[in-house]
Amino acid sequence: MRNIAIFYASSTGNTKEVAKQISKSLDGIKEYDLKVTGCEYMQDYENIILGISTWEAGKMQEDWEKVWEEFSHIDFKNKKVAIFGLGNQKKYKNNFLDAMGKIYFQLVKANAQVIGFTPTRGYEFEKSEAVIENCFVGLAVDIENDDNYLEKIEDWAKVLKNEFK
Ligand SMILES: Cc1cc2nc3c(=O)[nH]c(=O)nc-3n(C[C@H](O)[C@H](O)[C@H](O)COP(=O)(O)O)c2cc1C
């Protein structure tokens, strides 16, 4: 597996921690904090993993908002992209992982091949912009309410390992 990197932003460190776990599971791939580097290096990779948390009732994490203009000008043609989203299904059940959905729809507009969908089975929430036909458009991570999140990260990384060949 080659030419793969993670791009994420994180307010309290949760998304950063998950980025680290995913990197470890994929044999130590490069991680970029969007707050530090923006989207500058995204074009250099064929295989991309994006990490985002949802804040303030459905908004994108603030550093993602800051790079959104830059991000929305990138053409993802011939690139495979997987997304992981951080959120809290109990406290924000009407906006669970909305930010992951916003990223997904932009990627589709920008010609990306989005991979790594996961089933919503086992999660309890009312509404989410990150769901299409009983699947999340990426990996749904709820550190605050899900005791099995580390296992889910491991499993997802294995799927990506195959898909990103
Ligand atoms: C004020 C506040 C608003 C939040 N709003 C949402 C939300 O609308 N939807 C959601 O799924 N999670 C929401 N969350 C949960 C965060 O996404 C979650 O804590 C996440 O792990 C934070 O990741 P980060 O520290 O990497 O930014 C919110 C958390 C806080 C404290």
Side-chain angles (χ1 to χ4, degrees), residues 13-161:
N14 290 344
T15 309
K16 184 187 176 92
E17 194 51 44
V18 174
K20 271 194 198 152
Q21 294 290 339
I22 294 170
S23 170
K24 219 160 81 183
S25 305
L26 294 175
D27 310 323
I29 59 170
K30 180 111 179 129
E31 301 152 48
Y32 294 95
D33 184 343
L34 291 170
K35 188 175 183 172
V36 181
T37 53
C39 301
E40 194 182 338
Y41 302 105
M42 247 180 234
Q43 290 281 23
D44 299 348
Y45 293 90
E46 288 160 29
N47 301 306
I48 297 166
I49 302 173
L50 301 177
I52 186 165
S53 53
T54 302
W55 283 83
E56 309 300 350
K59 285 199 181 152
M60 282 186 273
Q61 190 273 347
E62 60 179 351
D63 300 303
W64 262 105
E65 285 202 329
K66 285 181 193 150
V67 301
W68 188 252
E69 176 71 16
E70 190 187 0
F71 178 70
S72 57
H73 283 99
I74 298 174
D75 185 6
F76 286 88
K77 194 170 176 213
N78 299 324
K79 293 184 191 294
K80 281 189 181 176
V81 186
I83 321 165
F84 63 97
L86 279 276
N88 185 321
Q89 64 198 298
K90 286 206 172 132
K91 279 200 185 147
Y92 304 96
K93 59 179 192 294
N94 289 312
N95 299 93
F96 184 45
L97 304 174
D98 278 358
M100 179 157 77
K102 294 182 205 303
I103 300 260
Y104 169 76
F105 287 106
Q106 175 54 36
L107 286 169
V108 171
K109 261 203 256 174
N111 309 306
Q113 183 186 348
V114 183
I115 62 164
F117 282 31
T118 58
T120 54
R121 192 183 346 103
Y123 293 82
E124 286 179 24
F125 60 96
E126 294 294 328
K127 265 168 69 182
S128 171
E129 288 179 28
V131 172
I132 296 176
E133 290 175 12
N134 299 325
C135 279
F136 291 111
V137 295
L139 176 68
V141 186
D142 182 351
I143 288 186
E144 285 124 15
N145 300 298
D146 186 351
D147 292 339
N148 298 321
Y149 80 91
L150 285 172
E151 211 177 298
K152 286 177 184 166
I153 292 169
E154 266 304 307
D155 291 346
W156 193 65
K158 277 185 202 144
V159 172
L160 298 190
K161 232 175 190 170

